[in-house]
Amino acid sequence: MEVPSRTLVVGSAESYTSRPSDSDVSLEEDREALRKEAERQALAQLEKAKTKPVAFAVRTNVGYNPSPGDEVPVQGMAITFEPKDFLHIKEKYNNDWWIGRLVKEGCEVGFIPSPVKLDSLRLLQEQKLRQNRLSSSKSGDNSSSSLGDVVTGTRRPTPPASGNEMTNLAFELDPLELEDEEAELGEHGGSAKTSVSSVTTPPPHGKRIPFFKKTEHVPPYDVVPSMRPIILVGPSLKGYEVTDMMQKALFDFLKHRFDGRISITRVTADISLAKRSVLNNPSKHIIIERSNTRSSLAEVQSEIERIFELARTLQLVALDADTINHPAQLSKTSLAPIVVYIKITSPKVLQRLIKSRGKSQSKHLNVQIAASEKLAQCPPEMFDIILDENQLEDACEHLAEYLEAYWKATHPPSSTPPNPLLNRTMATAALAASPAPVSNLQVQVLTSLRRNLSFWGGLEASQQARAVPPQQEHTM
């Protein structure tokens, strides 16, 4: 009799403890209600942000692929991006998330991780890799090599074969070693990507980092103008007639084709000095000021601020920059320009163009040819668009197609009407800090197309008279 009673008591206790209490159920319901309310408010704020102006823009230095564990305010509404993408930020949602969109046609607003959030995801990613590394060493998988890496800091001699592996953003250990570690984990079916968000950086180009040297912290974002400024380079050096006339013909085309959507401004300061490392490091200011530069850092900073202000209107911004003749000059600045390369493929055609302008230009022939050859040696990825057409009209249409696509990417259908800053900024910012008035440039540009077309047409006729083969004609 006692045995069944004991069994009954034990079973009764187990059945009692297996049922959740009313307080637990109520607490869970409250949490779910709070979560749904927070998500509803986040959706409402996301919808309102569609018609808000762009607060600022960033260029990404890392990639981000969201996962369910990222605590996105609205699941499924996080923005995925790759390194070197551009993002328009509308507003701050909280310390972990911004509201914005990827600058790409067809992309709508969503939630973008803030630098604080990306840093926490990076730390979580590194911690996961270390835990998997320790567990694999304890289980005996590659125990000698893994333990040697942990204790003595030895390095594997070969980097991973793939450049798409996850790497850390800032850590004292070799990032290549963490890539090796993740590659090993992937082979054993324990990839961290299934449970931890993927925060990726571009591959380190195969260069090994010294063991005792702490790697430089890479910020996840660089603040850039809301509209990437358009910079023309080539076919040779600015300040010489052939290059100046070709570029002014394009400026004139842009002014008329994008009338009401573009601001063309001249920049005489040497904006190549506006490197982030210089402007953010006061100790380097003295060195620059003492060097024989044509512009002071104050002038350069003023020009950069003016360009940013122009870009806030979300109008196209074209810079007639006197000192920029090569894309590398702006690669370390925060301008992130659209670099347009006017290319003359045949050096003989360029020589004839220069000589046709008289002795004042032909005496500088070698300098201009050398500059043209230096541009031709650049890899194509240094330019956003290369105009190598033989006819001016074809080159203009090529440029217009690119800029129309960029305009659609920066102006989604759901966005607000023209930026309220437009009326004030377009009227004043273009004239604000430039040493040479913009109006003078625009007057030159207005008459340049007809003059250049007549010049190139006359030159083409003279070349035909000299029996120049058609493939060597290069009117652009």
Side-chain angles (χ1 to χ4, degrees):
M1 297 294 292
E2 294 179 357
V3 174
S5 64
R6 289 179 181 174
T7 303
L8 181 61
V9 171
V10 173
S12 172
E14 288 179 351
S15 62
Y16 175 78
T17 55
S18 64
R19 294 198 307 267
S21 65
D22 293 340
S23 60
D24 291 339
V25 173
S26 177
L27 183 60
E28 187 64 28
E29 290 177 349
D30 290 344
R31 288 175 180 173
E32 182 64 17
L34 288 173
R35 186 191 66 79
K36 289 184 178 180
E37 176 61 20
E39 186 170 299
R40 186 192 65 79
Q41 293 179 1
L43 275 173
Q45 190 166 343
L46 202 64
E47 188 66 26
K48 290 180 180 178
K50 290 182 178 180
T51 56
K52 289 187 176 181
V54 175
F56 62 97
V58 297
R59 178 176 53 189
T60 64
N61 293 322
V62 301
Y64 171 68
N65 188 24
S67 74
D70 288 353
E71 299 179 350
V72 183
V74 180
Q75 287 298 327
M77 296 299 291
I79 302 293
T80 300
F81 53 83
E82 301 295 331
K84 303 305 177 184
D85 279 344
F86 292 87
L87 306 173
H88 276 174
I89 309 302
K90 295 297 191 81
E91 63 182 9
K92 174 183 175 182
Y93 179 75
N94 57 29
N95 287 335
D96 288 336
W97 297 97
W98 294 339
I99 294 179
R101 61 178 295 271
L102 178 66
V103 180
K104 186 177 180 181
E105 189 173 357
C107 293
E108 292 294 339
V109 296
F111 290 97
I112 296 171
S114 69
V116 173
K117 181 67 175 180
L118 285 177
D119 194 52
S120 66
L121 292 175
R122 174 185 62 83
L123 294 175
L124 182 63
Q125 180 175 295
E126 292 175 0
Q127 183 181 4
K128 182 71 175 178
L129 290 174
R130 288 178 170 276
Q131 288 175 350
N132 288 330
R133 180 179 181 179
L134 290 174
S135 62
S136 62
S137 64
K138 289 180 180 179
S139 64
D141 295 337
N142 300 323
S143 58
S144 59
S145 62
S146 298
L147 188 59
D149 285 346
V150 173
V151 177
T152 65
T154 58
R155 294 290 183 269
R156 295 182 179 87
T158 57
S162 171
N164 295 326
E165 305 294 340
M166 289 189 297
T167 62
N168 59 333
L169 298 180
F171 196 66
E172 62 270 15
L173 292 181
D174 195 333
L176 291 177
E177 184 178 353
L178 289 180
E179 288 182 338
D180 290 335
E181 182 62 37
E182 188 189 15
E184 289 182 2
L185 293 174
E187 292 174 0
H188 295 289
S191 174
K193 288 186 179 180
T194 58
S195 58
V196 181
S197 298
S198 173
V199 181
T200 59
T201 59
H205 307 294
K207 293 184 180 180
R208 310 249 351 140
I209 302 173
F211 173 63
F212 292 105
K213 183 178 180 180
K214 186 173 181 179
T215 59
E216 182 181 358
H217 175 70
V218 180
Y221 304 124
D222 288 327
V223 178
V224 297
S226 298
M227 294 290 285
R228 299 172 61 194
I230 304 162
I231 295 281
L232 304 184
V233 296
S236 183
L237 290 175
K238 293 177 182 176
Y240 295 98
E241 287 187 15
V242 171
T243 297
D244 287 351
M245 293 176 72
M246 287 187 175
Q247 292 193 7
K248 287 177 181 177
L250 284 177
F251 282 132
D252 185 57
F253 168 79
L254 292 176
K255 184 180 186 302
H256 289 282
R257 177 62 175 266
F258 296 93
D259 186 26
R261 293 188 289 164
I262 191 169
S263 172
I264 301 175
T265 182
R266 187 177 183 187
V267 179
T268 58
D270 188 1
I271 55 177
S272 66
L273 297 176
K275 297 180 176 64
R276 291 184 295 271
S277 60
V278 173
L279 295 180
N280 296 333
N281 190 349
S283 64
K284 295 184 179 181
H285 291 189
I286 299 177
I287 300 175
I288 298 297
E289 295 292 354
R290 289 178 178 175
S291 62
N292 294 324
T293 57
R294 58 180 291 174
S295 306
S296 68
L297 282 182
E299 292 174 331
V300 172
Q301 183 68 36
S302 176
E303 285 293 271
I304 297 298
E305 292 175 357
R306 187 171 67 92
I307 294 169
F308 269 78
E309 184 69 14
L310 281 171
R312 289 183 64 195
T313 65
L314 289 192
Q315 303 293 291
L316 294 171
V317 178
L319 305 181
D320 185 12
D322 291 355
T323 62
I324 304 303
N325 291 292
H326 196 278
Q329 289 179 272
L330 298 177
S331 61
K332 294 184 179 180
T333 69
S334 59
L335 291 179
I338 295 174
V339 181
V340 181
Y341 175 23
I342 306 171
K343 183 177 183 180
I344 293 182
T345 306
S346 172
K348 291 182 179 180
V349 173
L350 179 59
Q351 288 180 13
R352 290 192 180 99
L353 285 170
I354 295 172
K355 289 178 179 179
S356 70
R357 304 309 299 161
K359 292 183 179 180
S360 62
Q361 297 297 307
S362 59
K363 69 179 181 180
H364 301 293
L365 175 66
N366 292 337
V367 174
Q368 297 180 66
I369 295 298
S372 176
E373 291 175 349
K374 191 172 182 180
L375 282 172
Q377 293 170 1
C378 294
E381 54 268 22
M382 292 190 72
F383 308 103
D384 292 275
I385 179 171
I386 299 176
L387 304 179
D388 55 0
E389 289 80 3
N390 288 333
Q391 299 294 328
L392 174 63
E393 294 84 352
D394 296 337
C396 288
E397 285 304 316
H398 185 184
L399 178 58
E401 288 176 6
Y402 182 94
L403 295 179
E404 286 288 2
Y406 180 64
W407 180 268
K408 291 179 181 178
T410 53
H411 295 75
S414 60
S415 65
T416 183
N419 194 307
L421 291 169
L422 179 59
N423 293 335
R424 175 178 61 84
T425 309
M426 290 289 286
T428 60
L431 301 173
S434 179
V438 179
S439 56
N440 289 344
L441 170 67
Q442 291 174 341
V443 169
Q444 296 170 3
V445 168
L446 283 173
T447 58
S448 63
L449 183 58
R450 183 174 298 174
R451 184 179 69 244
N452 285 296
L453 282 175
S454 62
F455 159 64
W456 286 329
L459 179 61
E460 182 178 353
S462 66
Q463 288 176 340
Q464 290 175 347
R466 296 173 187 172
V468 177
Q471 63 269 24
Q472 290 188 0
E473 292 181 7
H474 204 307
T475 57
M476 180 58 197

